[in-house]
Amino acid sequence: MNSFYDTHAHLDDPQYEQDLPEIIARAIAAGIDRIISVGTCLDSSRRAVELAEQYPCLHAAVGWHPEDALQAPADLRPDLVKLARHPKVVAIGEIGLDYHRLPSAQGGSAADDARFKTRQAEIFRQQLEVAAELGLNCIIHQRASFDDTLAQLQPFAGRVRCVFHCFGESVERLKLILATGSLVSYTGIVTFKNGQNIRAAVAATPLDKFMLETDCPYLAPVPHRGQRGEPAYVKEIAETIAPVKQCTLAELSAATSRTARDFFARLT
Ligand SMILES: [Zn+2]
């Protein structure tokens, strides 16, 4: 059987509280035998680390999501460093900038927007500093903030590599990312009927420059679209991507697994 990594899952999500052992068992049965559970705040990062301690196939990424930037402590670094030193932590993430839902869209002012963006940039920078200090790479979340995200990463070029997770941008932007030495990863959106632009990006991505992920419980691929996602569904994502790359599943397994082991510290 071809084995794949799920490089981005949120297994600390309350939706998995009842049946996580079954979820993990189904993933392993489907050949998804390495999973990275990604944190979105200190609590969720802590839970991701605890899960990684319980399940040999699980690793953790620790970080604070930009959407929750206003709830972050003034200085995230001390707590994040402590978590990130854990032997099963393989990256800092998910971190970045998200301008999709700004306060002004919900009755806030332009000043509220500016404050939110500034706070996002502050905690993003703090977390990049931690990554550089500890020699870890980063999982990047960006939405409607592509140029600012690249600008924030610029001072860390050569010290921190990134994966732009759930990539859904143009081929031009893909090339900008790859030129910085960073990577992308693809979710179940690639299987959606209206995912032509994603499949075009996949076609343009060299076989050794991308990884696979579910972002579960979100973005379940066809035929599970709209339901709770789980790591086993990397199989459907791989089955969609292999023909786009005109390669076999075995070749896709070998390439994406090598890329993941090379990108994520301490990943076996
Ligand atoms: Zn995520």
Side-chain angles (χ1 to χ4, degrees):
M1 186 169 48
N2 297 304
S3 72
F4 290 96
Y5 288 87
D6 184 353
T7 61
H8 192 120
H10 296 283
L11 296 186
D12 70 299
D13 192 283
Q15 293 186 53
Y16 299 121
E17 229 158 28
Q18 302 303 318
D19 60 348
L20 189 58
E22 289 92 323
I23 296 273
I24 305 269
R26 277 202 292 276
I28 293 172
I32 319 307
D33 46 14
R34 289 289 184 276
I35 303 164
I36 300 172
S37 193
V38 179
T40 54
C41 64
L42 286 174
D43 278 347
S44 108
S45 297
R46 217 166 273 129
R47 286 197 298 276
V49 170
E50 284 165 11
L51 291 173
E53 286 174 341
Q54 282 170 42
Y55 296 92
C57 66
L58 271 188
H59 286 79
V62 295
W64 199 291
H65 196 287
E67 269 192 342
D68 306 319
L70 294 176
Q71 286 79 49
D75 189 351
L76 247 180
R77 286 168 291 198
D79 285 333
L80 192 65
V81 166
K82 266 184 236 154
L83 277 173
R85 289 195 194 280
H86 190 282
K88 290 207 85 175
V89 169
V90 298
I92 300 295
E94 56 188 296
I95 65 173
L97 302 174
D98 189 328
Y99 300 166
H100 179 62
R101 266 192 296 258
L102 291 174
S104 59
Q106 296 143 52
S109 66
D112 292 335
D113 285 358
R115 201 162 51 93
F116 189 36
K117 287 183 176 181
T118 302
R119 194 69 195 112
Q120 287 194 12
E122 281 168 4
I123 67 161
F124 188 19
R125 192 168 49 247
Q126 288 176 8
Q127 296 182 91
L128 288 164
E129 285 169 15
V130 169
E133 183 190 328
L134 299 186
L136 291 169
N137 288 331
C138 292
I139 300 169
I140 301 295
H141 169 103
Q142 76 79 26
R143 199 160 177 205
S145 60
F146 186 78
D147 293 338
D148 283 2
T149 301
L150 279 194
Q152 286 279 324
L153 292 175
Q154 221 287 319
F156 295 89
R159 293 188 287 155
V160 177
R161 289 176 72 211
C162 299
V163 56
F164 281 65
H165 109 90
C166 194
F167 188 73
E169 302 283 343
S170 64
V171 170
E172 287 69 30
R173 287 181 166 183
L174 168 74
K175 288 179 177 160
L176 287 173
I177 291 170
L178 298 182
T180 68
S182 289
L183 306 170
V184 295
S185 58
Y186 292 107
T187 62
I189 301 179
V190 74
T191 69
F192 293 180
K193 205 171 167 193
N194 59 359
Q196 302 94 329
N197 63 322
I198 317 273
R199 289 187 287 278
V202 169
T205 313
L207 196 55
D208 61 348
K209 300 294 180 202
F210 69 90
M211 298 184 282
L212 308 182
E213 58 157 316
T214 57
D215 201 16
C216 66
Y218 315 107
L219 304 176
V222 173
H224 313 285
R225 189 173 179 179
Q227 300 162 17
R228 180 186 71 166
E230 58 179 79
Y233 297 168
V234 167
K235 188 169 176 286
E236 281 82 359
I237 298 170
E239 285 168 354
T240 301
I241 286 186
V244 175
K245 294 310 298 171
Q246 300 178 313
C247 69
T248 64
L249 278 172
E251 287 163 343
L252 185 65
S253 160
T256 54
S257 300
R258 201 182 310 119
T259 302
R261 279 194 299 267
D262 174 61
F263 180 81
F264 291 107
R266 308 166 185 148
L267 195 63
T268 50

